[in-house]
Structures are given as C-alpha cells and as structure tokens.
Amino acid sequence: GAGVSQTPSNKVTEKGKYVELRCDPISGHTALYWYRQSLGQGPEFLIYFQGTGAADDSGLPNDRFFAVRPEGSVSTLKIQRTERGDSAVYLCASSKTGRRIDTQYFGPGTRLTVL
Amino acid sequence: AQSVTQPDIHITVSEGASLELRCNYSYGATPYLFWYVQSPGQGLQLLLKYFSGDTLVQGIKGFEAEFKRSQSSFNLRKPSVHWSDAAEYFCAVGAQNTGNQFYFGTGTSLTVIP
C-alpha cells in the first residue's frame, strides 16, 4: 500500500516568509508525528497528533511553528516569519495507534531552505 | 531524560566484511528500540525493532540487533556487508511516558569499499 507522502519535496523561501508543509499519512493510521532533521543530526521531535488533536507539542521550538490535522488524516506544518535557522528536512511519520509505542513509518521529508 | 548515543559518526568497511554499529540508550523504563536506515534523499526505513521477548531480533536485509539491558545497548550487526548497505543508520528509543515520541541518535554513516 501507499506509504507516508510529503509535499513539497523541496521548498526554498526567503527569510520572513510563511510556509506550509503537508503530510499525508498511511491510510488508517491514527497517530501522526512531525520531526525536524538538521544536517548531520538525527530527527528531533516536534509534535504528535492522536486523531485530530495535538497530544504533545512540546517539541515545537517557538510560537512561529504550528501544525494542524483537522480531519484526522492529512496534517500541515506551518511556519511563520521563517528564519535561516529553520532550514532543515522536516519529516512526517505515522503509526497505527498512538496509544502505546508503535512502529513509526516515515515519509521522504520536505527539505526547507530559508535564504 | 531519554537519550540515545551512537558513538561512531562514520564507519568504513569492505564489502563482504562483518559490521557492528553501536547504540547506547538512557531510559528509565523498559525501552522500545528501533534501528532505521536512511539513504541519501530518502526517508527513514525501519530495519528492525525490539519491544520485548527474545533479545536477539532479526530484521530486513540480513540485519540483526541484540538488546543488552545490563549494558543499555542495542547494537546492530550484519555478517556480510553489501555495497548497497552504504547509508546513514539511526538508532531510536520510544518513550511512552512522553507522548510516544522517538528519541534518535545522531546517526552513523556507513561507507562500503569494494
């Protein structure tokens, strides 16, 4: 079946602009996660959704970052007033259930470059 | 706090040689452990996982890993490396008491020489 998909695959923007990154999880997966991977680092947790609600947003670095999942499927990560330090690969993952530890399946990521 | 350490930033092995990638974790409860592989420009692909039971787990592509509680380790092994195994390898621990997020190590980059 189809895996996790993310669009766009690459996004180049200018400092101060607003960007949206989209994630389409595996069908039927109730839990969705966003991670950020900087160059030479492992992925770092940003936010986790169980259904439509953000169950844990403790990893969001500041209030410029926001994510939604209005219908419990597709999620959008939104970054306002982008800064050069936001440049990274943004990874989305989904798992069948978020009510316990479960295997997370990752998408290919969106590479964000802020000039 | 939960954390994962991968002591080797980069490893080079010859094709056909054996491989061991090290992973140490810090976690107060029973860990849920994972190894993922990332090829250039690709997402993370699950190699194997440990939740409970037999401490030696088998994964895809001929990989295996052994959970050693006494050493807080979950090292990844392969008896004979193929050129296609060249990639970045990440160890991760799942933390159920903090929203089921995964904590990743910084990765080990594997180069395979003919």
Side-chain angles (χ1 to χ4, degrees):
Chain A
V4 177
S5 62
Q6 293 185 245
T7 54
S9 55
N10 279 284
K11 176 70 177 177
V12 180
T13 191
E14 294 180 342
K15 180 175 178 296
K17 299 289 189 182
Y18 167 83
V19 297
E20 289 189 351
L21 312 179
R22 175 190 167 106
C23 172
D24 205 334
I26 293 172
S27 178
H29 280 195
T30 62
L32 185 146
Y33 307 79
W34 283 98
Y35 291 83
R36 179 167 71 174
Q37 186 176 18
S38 300
L39 195 61
Q41 300 296 315
E44 292 181 313
F45 170 77
L46 294 176
I47 186 170
Y48 148 59
F49 287 89
Q50 179 60 38
T52 60
D56 181 357
D57 64 358
S58 62
L60 294 177
N62 52 59
D63 61 6
R64 294 187 297 106
F65 289 76
F66 188 71
V68 296
R69 195 186 184 200
E71 297 178 357
S73 178
V74 170
S75 176
T76 304
L77 178 66
K78 308 180 181 196
I79 310 175
Q80 298 177 319
R81 305 183 304 280
T82 51
E83 300 177 356
R84 292 194 180 88
D86 299 334
S87 296
V89 175
Y90 290 81
L91 296 168
C92 176
S94 69
S95 64
K96 205 166 189 180
T97 174
R99 303 199 184 283
R100 61 180 189 278
I101 295 292
D102 199 359
T103 300
Q104 293 181 20
Y105 297 90
F106 284 80
T110 294
R111 181 175 298 278
L112 175 66
T113 303
V114 181
L115 301 177
Chain B
Q2 298 84 354
S3 67
V4 175
T5 301
Q6 293 181 249
D8 304 304
I9 296 172
H10 186 246
I11 284 183
T12 299
V13 298
S14 298
E15 191 167 17
S18 64
L19 171 70
E20 181 169 26
L21 302 182
R22 295 184 291 164
C23 172
N24 293 97
Y25 67 89
S26 172
Y27 185 54
T30 300
Y32 296 79
L33 296 160
F34 303 81
W35 275 100
Y36 284 86
V37 61
Q38 186 177 40
S39 298
Q42 303 297 311
L44 295 163
Q45 181 184 20
L46 179 70
L47 285 176
L48 46 77
K49 62 187 178 186
Y50 171 78
F51 281 12
S52 64
D54 193 345
T55 57
L56 184 64
V57 294
Q58 303 296 321
I60 63 171
K61 304 184 180 186
F63 285 92
E64 67 177 26
E66 186 171 11
F67 169 58
K68 293 186 178 180
R69 184 186 297 275
S70 62
Q71 298 177 19
S72 297
S73 69
F74 189 56
N75 294 349
L76 181 71
R77 302 194 293 248
K78 186 169 185 178
S80 178
V81 169
H82 188 262
W83 64 267
S84 61
D85 293 324
E88 189 88 17
Y89 291 81
F90 292 94
C91 181
V93 61
Q96 188 152 14
N97 62 344
T98 56
N100 300 336
Q101 61 171 283
F102 284 8
Y103 292 86
F104 284 85
T106 52
T108 297
S109 177
L110 175 65
T111 297
V112 180
I113 56 177

